[in-house]
């Protein structure tokens, strides 16, 4: 049974807004939270980039939903030993409701310290080694590690949860999916691709798979399409551009090629619940355990009212899925260990 969560966008909203959205998501019946980890937004129109680990601390005190990073890159901008400490603390504060979503990252966020941005194969190799370092530190043992990419010396995490957070790996292509299949507790992606799920589950059929997608509710479809095109045209760029362009201004230049028509065809927009259900049904049919939905633009309260009253009940009826219609923090799923951007390689 597919559950539905909410996708908090650190690129589009400040920390206080994200915390308030998490409360509204819980009240509306969403069952979990994804939160992005960015140093830059994709474009200046989005306009935010709060430090995700500070926001997660606030979320732990403000709502009862499970939280997952979607996704953190533990390879260039932040050393994997520091990510391990942040994730362990988040798991403690969330009382076991945290999952660590990891991916190979984008130049947009990872080049900011002046480090070179490696090719895709090397980024995946770095990610694999980073996960090994994180898992060693989660044991609570003193760790010394000298690998191809990372050195750790006499490091030990003293604040540890009873159970380490599960590690999920993001992938959009076959090489990254194969890596996830080897090393991950769960799989993270954005496309309703059953073949990628099968590739991931080849080495472990019971592991959970999670998706994220964006929609845009507005009083009219035309207004929603305009908003989605203005704020998130980057969702529609082809190939590896999202991994290799280094600044928001570069994305703005590339997005001059993205039309409103393209956005309208690719995003559930407007006030028709059937359109939203059709888009989400593709993820249900592909076999995802959870789908996290992010509302584009400022109409957050209208979105949550719309989903609580019209979309989640329709999904329950049409697909047998679990939106927990009308749920609040007292009956939302708090299963940090249960079923809950990456690389196109």
């Amino acid at each position: 049974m597919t559950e539905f969560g909410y996708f908090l966008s650190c690129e589009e909203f400040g920390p206080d807004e994200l915390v308030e959205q998490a409360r509204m998501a819980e009240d509306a019946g969403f069952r979990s939270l994804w939160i992005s980890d960015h140093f830059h937004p994709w474009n200046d129109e989005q306009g935010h980039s709060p430090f995700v680990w500070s926001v997660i601390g606030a979320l732990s005190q403000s709502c009862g939903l499970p939280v997952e990073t979607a996704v953190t890159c533990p390879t260039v901008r932040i050393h994997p030993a520091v990510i391990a400490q942040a994730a362990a603390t988040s798991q403690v504060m969330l009382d076991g409701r945290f999952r660590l979503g990891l991916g190979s990252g984008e130049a947009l966020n990872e080049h900011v310290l002046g480090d070179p941005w490696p090719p895709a194969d090397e980024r995946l190799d770095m990610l694999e080694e980073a996960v090994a370092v994180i898992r060693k530190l989660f044991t609570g043992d003193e760790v010394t590690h000298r690998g191809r990419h990372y050195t750790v010396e006499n490091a030990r995490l003293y604040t540890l949860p009873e159970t380490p957070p599960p590690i999920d790996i993001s992938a959009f292509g076959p090489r990254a999916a194969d890596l996830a299949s080897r090393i991950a507790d769960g799989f993270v992606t954005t496309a309703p691709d059953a073949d990628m799920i099968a590739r991931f589950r080849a080495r472990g059929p019971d592991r959970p798979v999670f998706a994220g997608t964006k929609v845009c509710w507005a009083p009219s479809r035309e207004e929603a399409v305009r908003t989605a095109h203005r704020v998130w045209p980057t969702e529609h760029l082809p190939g590896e551009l999202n991994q290799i362009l280094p600044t928001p201004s570069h994305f703005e230049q590339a997005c001059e090629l993205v039309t409103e028509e393209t956005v309208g065809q690719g995003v559930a927009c407007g006030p028709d619940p059937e359109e939203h259900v059709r888009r989400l049904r593709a993820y249900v049919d592909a076999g995802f355990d959870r789908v996290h939905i992010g509302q584009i633009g400022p109409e957050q309260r209208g979105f949550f009212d719309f989903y609580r009253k019209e979309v989640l009940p329709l999904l329950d009826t049409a697909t047998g899925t679990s939106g927990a219609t009308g749920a609040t923090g007292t009956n939302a799923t708090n299963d940090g260990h249960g079923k809950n951007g990456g690389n196109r390689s």
Side-chain angles (χ1 to χ4, degrees):
M1 181 180 291
T2 305
E3 293 182 351
F4 292 95
Y6 189 70
F7 197 161
L8 298 167
S9 171
C10 282
E11 304 97 311
E12 196 180 341
F13 300 99
D16 292 342
E17 293 173 294
L18 295 168
V19 171
E20 178 60 24
Q21 287 170 22
R23 294 191 189 105
M24 289 192 289
E26 188 170 28
D27 289 343
F30 289 94
R31 304 293 295 273
S32 57
L33 299 170
W34 263 13
I35 185 165
S36 55
D37 179 2
H38 269 241
F39 191 89
H40 290 141
W42 297 100
N43 56 40
D44 284 353
E45 185 65 41
Q46 292 168 5
H48 283 280
S49 60
F51 188 52
V52 70
W53 301 105
S54 299
V55 180
I56 289 171
L59 294 174
S60 74
Q61 306 302 302
S62 61
C63 76
L65 297 180
V67 178
E68 175 162 21
T69 51
V71 291
T72 288
C73 179
T75 61
V76 178
R77 173 172 48 108
I78 305 179
H79 192 283
V82 178
I83 296 296
Q85 184 185 29
T89 299
S90 297
Q91 179 77 316
V92 170
M93 295 188 73
L94 283 156
D95 196 25
R97 293 178 284 113
F98 179 69
R99 299 186 74 98
L100 178 59
L102 300 177
S104 60
E106 302 93 13
L108 176 71
N109 303 302
E110 304 306 316
H111 84 286
V112 295
L113 302 181
D115 299 286
W117 184 235
D121 285 348
E122 186 174 352
R123 299 200 303 269
L124 292 175
D125 191 53
M126 294 171 73
L127 179 59
E128 184 166 10
E129 185 178 335
V131 170
V133 167
I134 291 167
R135 290 198 189 278
K136 287 178 183 178
L137 287 163
F138 280 168
T139 67
D141 296 335
E142 183 177 290
V143 174
T144 294
H145 170 92
R146 294 182 178 89
R148 178 182 173 192
H149 303 289
Y150 304 107
T151 298
V152 179
E153 188 167 318
N154 305 128
R156 179 183 171 191
L157 298 183
Y158 279 83
T159 297
L160 285 169
E162 291 185 7
T163 303
I167 296 176
D168 303 328
I169 299 296
S170 171
F172 300 107
R175 285 177 292 175
D178 289 344
L179 173 62
S181 186
R182 290 199 311 274
I183 69 172
D185 299 310
F187 179 60
V188 172
T189 192
T190 58
D193 190 334
D195 291 338
M196 289 286 284
I197 292 175
R199 194 173 189 116
F200 166 72
R201 284 181 164 159
R203 293 176 174 85
D206 296 327
R207 291 176 295 174
V209 292
F210 312 121
T213 189
K214 288 186 171 58
V215 304
C216 189
W217 177 87
S220 73
R221 192 174 196 281
E222 293 74 19
E223 180 184 349
V225 170
R226 288 195 299 270
T227 297
H229 179 258
R230 174 174 56 84
V231 181
W232 280 94
T234 53
E235 289 282 291
H236 308 278
L237 291 175
E240 293 187 53
L241 289 178
N242 281 327
Q243 278 72 50
I244 64 175
L245 294 180
T247 69
S249 62
H250 286 98
F251 279 95
E252 288 165 0
Q253 293 166 22
C255 285
E256 291 178 7
L257 302 175
V258 178
T259 65
E260 285 191 9
E261 181 181 6
T262 297
V263 172
Q265 291 172 351
V267 178
C269 288
D272 180 2
E274 295 286 353
E275 178 174 351
H276 291 254
V277 170
R278 282 195 302 273
R279 298 280 185 180
L280 296 170
R281 180 66 182 264
Y283 292 90
V284 176
D285 293 344
F288 284 95
D289 296 288
R290 283 186 182 164
V291 181
H292 297 84
I293 303 157
Q295 159 70 0
I296 297 171
E299 296 278 6
Q300 294 291 316
R301 193 167 298 278
F303 162 84
F304 285 117
D305 287 344
F306 172 61
Y307 263 68
R308 180 179 63 251
K309 295 174 183 177
E310 301 190 55
V311 178
L312 293 179
L314 252 175
L315 285 166
D316 287 346
T317 301
T319 67
T321 58
S322 178
T325 305
T328 66
T330 58
N331 60 6
T333 300
N334 295 336
D335 71 341
H337 311 294
K339 289 184 178 181
N340 187 321
N343 195 287
R344 285 181 168 80
S345 301

